Amino acid sequence: MDPLAGMDDSSTDDDNTSQTTEDDPQVPEHDPPPPPAQPAPPPSSQQPSRVQRPNYQLQHTLIGHTKSISAVKFSPDGTLLASCGAENTVKIWSPFTGELVRNLTGHTEGLSDIAWSTDSVYLASASDDKTIRIWEVDTGVTQKTLKGHSKWVFCLNYNHNSTLLVSGACDGDIRIWDTKKGGVLIHTINRRCLKTLHAHIDYVTAVHFNRDSSLIVSCSLDGQIQIWNTTNGQCLKTIVEGHDAIWYVVSRCFFESPVDLTTSPRPRISAFLIAQTYSQHVQFSPNSKYILSTAHDSAIRLWDYQTTRCLKTYTGHVNKKYCICACFSVTGGKWIVAGSEDHKVWLWDLQTREVVQVLEGHSDVVVAVATHPSKNMIASGSIDSDLAIRIWEDRTGTERG
Amino acid sequence: MNESLINPFSTITHPTAVQTSLYAYGTFARFDPSGRYIGVGRIDGVATIWDLETREAIRGLDGHVKAVTSLDWSRNSRYVLTSSKDWNVIVWDLAAPWDPPQRHATIRCDAPVSSASFHPRNSQIVLALLNTGEVYLIDLRKNHRSRNELCEPDEGDEDGGQRSAMTTARFDPSGRYVFVGTHSGTILVFSTRTKTMIARHRIAGGAGSLKGFDFPKSGRRLVTNSSDRILRQFIVPQYPPPDPDGVFIETELEPTHRFNDPINKTAWHTMSYSPDGEWLAGGAADPATHKIYIWDISNDGQFASTLDGGREPLAHLHWHPTKSSIASTTKQGSVLIWHSPNPEKWGAFAGGFEEVDENVEYEEKEDEFDIEDEEEMLKRKMKAEEEEIDIDTVIEDTSRPSNKLQAHGDDEDLAWADGDPDEDIAGWTMKIVMDDEDM
């Protein structure tokens, strides 16, 4: 199934040169690379061009979380790092010194996701207490509490102007919120929450606006990546892997009687642990032309959503159980950065799909990664037995520009 | 950018249905050049700025003591101009991080202001039409600070030298010229730079007092509204550079199209071109209904459709700068946002499915179910993935040419307007002012 498993070969020798594990001796270096190597040649062999490689080094280890970390996010101005996890607080860190700046407390249950407003003033957090809070980060005050989801809120994101907030919950609902009015108690669902998309049968695991906020991409554990029209909530496209053939349906015969998609709740295993083999994180590329998805077949894919074509596949890491985040790094070279269940952070070259660096240091599954908006900096967060956030920086990259 | 995904038939058509209505208590509403906001003028002197994404009023521009008569947006929507019957024109700066936003400039006039607008290239040049039938060009730039009245040259000849009152005034989309309509039905064209009149046009057959102009983005056509209840479209002539001796062209313009309502003979409040200039919408001044007439310019100006917006009579309309959407204001003050809805595609819910209108006999391709060599497929896939892709270059929306009109080297008019530029730069952001939590 895994066509690119052979890539692993090309990267293992590289691992040794880029190890940055000074402070963490119990790193499981013997961890076997998961898929057995296939005879398929690594893609790099076709073109001998030497790809510039990043040189990320561990800068800081941020200790403070007492339960599994679920998300880390740099503020858009780059001055702060926010993190959240299964405990009830959001932590704000300085990425340059590694110091804890502030705890944002108020949620009554664990958190699954956080998102910064574009001006870096506000932070929204999604919690298992079914609410979203909007914090003013400087003061640590909750500005708004958005209530309406009937299940744990799993993911959220601001639009580019920070006027809207999109959130996905564990009952399959996607909601679009007005950040200005936010928590005003009005019963008309149209005002408070502009639109409810009864979208997915299963957990919605990621939602993201495109640049001009006209589209939302979402994905869920039922294996579907869907693209929605923000203004009217219409589904525009569903992307599934491996269907090149087109099947024709005469319109509507399929959906004549709308299926109730809000099915009964699913048993909860943990905040982000459900085993299925489908996409579980998705986002638009910086220019919104493509979408990047991670999936439980240990592959990260870059899609052209207009044509529904998979343009790139990145493999080598392990991702079978957890909702693992991947992101674009565009500050120096163009990399794809992702966490992995082998306790490492993997970096691929965007174009060649080669593994260019593997960051070792965490001692448990890395579920959260984030890239700094302007510096060559990566933050990664890990679960259960590790509980640390690590900040990695590539100092050489700044000159390379 | 995603027009093709949202609407696969991506040409602009006219809107057909009301999408939403804003209870704005306004007398008119104008989209900003990006189409994200709408500015509403109210009779109590307040203008409100609405965010169309959230459909909320996000700013209240509270500065006038009498009714707001017009509102205009700068190129990148940072500055908003409001004119009022209280003799003032106020320029507001929306980049200020509070609500109400900062007053950027106040222009005091000598009479109630009927309308005012920004120069399309520089928001420090303001055109104001006064109730008394005079038009002023006000330049707020440090090095050009001036206030000039645009006057028809005195001829003192057999007409008795009686100058006709000016009833409407607008910049053309390039900003080179000011078009002024008069009570006697002539169109006067002034050079913005020299403030001299360069042309005077009579309308063939006469038209009565002129009530309004609109230009498509190209600026090559002009539609006029006049008291004889006919909308006329003209081709805008090419004007030579202003003559230093004050000689001007005097011609008669023959309309290419006349739009009217042949049955009810209703008058028109306003008219507005679609972004591509292919459609014209006219707002009927019918006292009992809310009717918008749409004509198809590309199809020789044929009448296309009437939109019925219910029982609240229409007061004003404005076409969205990029989309097939219209904002029409009712006499009761609501702003109706019209759109052209796309039917929901149920096939979109299933990946790899495509909807067809009727059953088709499926014809299997020759090689469709052939078993392919997996290695071959894998190789092909790897080959396809070699392709270079670009993830972070943002292709700017080309449908907004207004602020990209480059001064063509020796174009004196544009260079003059661009000198001493304003601070209206693309990419500024309006701060979200959050409402207080009342819980």
Side-chain angles (χ1 to χ4, degrees), chain A residues 202-215:
Chain A
D202 220 316
Y203 287 26
V204 180
T205 54
V207 282
H208 194 222
F209 277 107
N210 72 339
R211 268 184 72 83
D212 63 0
S213 320
S214 60
L215 305 178

Side-chain angles (χ1 to χ4, degrees), chain B residues 372-382:
Chain B
E372 275 192 85
D373 188 358
E374 278 194 22
E375 218 160 285
E376 199 63 28
M377 278 170 66
L378 183 63
K379 242 186 232 164
R380 198 145 28 119
K381 190 157 185 241
M382 299 301 288

